[in-house]
Amino acid sequence: MEKKVTIYDIADHLKISPSTVSRALADNSQVSIQTKERVVAAAMKMGYMNLKSNSSANAIAVIVPEINNFFYSQVLSAMQHAINGKYLLSIFCSFNSAKIEREIVSKLNPTQTRCLIISQSMDTSDSSHLLEIEKKGVPVISFNRVDYNYKCPKFLIDNYMDSYLLTTHLVSSGYRKIAFAAKHYNCPITAVPLRLEASK
C-alpha cells in the first residue's frame, strides 16, 4: 500500500514547519506569496492534493461537538473575525456523536471546501474519516478535542497549567478547601494529571 503524503512530508521536503505548510495551503495571509507557491508546487508534485479540485474553494468547514457552549462560540467568533469575509465559514455540529461527525465529513464537497477545522466528538475512536477527506485534497486542522495519534496540525489548551494557575491564585487568596470536578472522564483533553495541594 502506497504511503499517504502528509503536510509533514511536505514540510520536511521544503525544510519549513508543518504549521507553515498548513497555513500556506489554506491561503493564509501571514504566509508570503513565494512560500505559498513553493508549498502548492510541492503539494502537487508529491501527490498531496489535486489543486484543480479545491483551488477555487471558498468555504472553511468547522465541526464542533457542541453549539451551546461558550468556548466554542468564542472560537467560532474568532474564526469569523480572522477570515474577515475572505471565505465562508460553514459550521456543523456533531452533537458529540462519532456517527454524525463521520457523516458530516463524508458529505463535505472537496471542490467547495478549502479546509476542515474540527474538534472531535466525545466517542470518536479513530480518525479514518479525516484521512479520507485529506486524500480528497482537504487539509485538516484539529483543536481542543483531538486524536493524538492522527497526524495533522493541532491546537490544544494546556488544562494542567490552567488548573495550576487557578489553584495557585485561590491558595494565595487564602482559600484552603479546594476541590476539582471533571465531567468528561474519557475525553483525552481531561485525561491530564492534576495535583491540588492545599492545607487545612
Side-chain angles (χ1 to χ4, degrees):
M1 181 175 167
E2 186 178 349
K3 180 181 178 291
K4 174 184 174 289
V5 176
T6 69
I7 64 167
Y8 295 90
D9 297 318
I10 298 172
D12 185 63
H13 175 71
L14 297 176
K15 307 301 181 197
I16 59 178
S17 70
S19 59
T20 298
V21 172
S22 178
R23 283 194 285 265
L25 292 173
D27 198 24
N28 190 300
S29 60
Q30 294 179 343
V31 181
S32 70
I33 294 174
Q34 293 81 2
T35 299
K36 288 178 185 176
E37 290 175 349
R38 289 178 61 218
V39 170
V40 166
M44 291 179 66
K45 182 179 179 181
M46 299 172 70
Y48 175 76
M49 63 191 299
N50 177 4
L51 292 186
K52 291 180 181 179
S53 68
N54 73 348
S55 60
S56 61
N58 69 341
I60 295 175
V62 184
I63 302 176
V64 294
E66 303 164 359
I67 288 292
N68 59 339
N69 178 301
F70 180 75
F71 170 76
Y72 290 115
S73 66
Q74 290 296 101
V75 169
L76 293 171
S77 295
M79 288 181 184
Q80 186 69 58
H81 178 74
I83 62 176
N84 195 27
K86 187 173 182 180
Y87 299 102
L88 295 173
L89 201 62
S90 298
I91 302 167
F92 304 91
C93 183
S94 67
F95 299 98
N96 266 318
S97 165
K99 181 181 178 184
I100 295 175
E101 178 184 305
R102 298 180 76 89
E103 288 175 354
I104 294 170
V105 173
S106 70
K107 292 176 182 176
L108 292 177
N109 186 337
T111 64
Q112 298 174 351
T113 308
R114 194 74 182 192
C115 74
L116 167 62
I117 302 174
I118 182 170
S119 181
Q120 293 183 263
S121 61
M122 197 69 64
D123 60 342
T124 299
S125 58
D126 74 90
S127 298
S128 56
H129 54 305
L130 301 184
L131 180 60
E132 290 305 310
I133 195 68
E134 277 204 289
K135 285 180 180 178
K136 295 176 182 177
V138 179
V140 174
I141 301 170
S142 63
F143 73 100
N144 197 38
R145 296 180 188 169
V146 305
D147 179 352
Y148 290 94
N149 295 317
Y150 186 76
K151 278 194 171 184
C152 74
K154 299 177 179 71
F155 293 87
L156 302 172
I157 297 171
D158 189 341
N159 289 285
Y160 181 86
M161 183 54 68
D162 285 348
S163 300
Y164 172 78
L165 293 174
L166 176 59
T167 305
T168 300
H169 171 72
L170 290 173
V171 171
S172 66
S173 299
Y175 292 91
R176 292 296 178 265
K177 295 181 179 180
I178 302 171
F180 172 73
K183 185 167 112 176
H184 305 305
Y185 295 104
N186 296 321
C187 183
I189 64 166
T190 60
V192 281
L194 185 66
R195 191 170 58 250
L196 299 181
E197 296 179 3
S199 61
K200 298 181 183 177

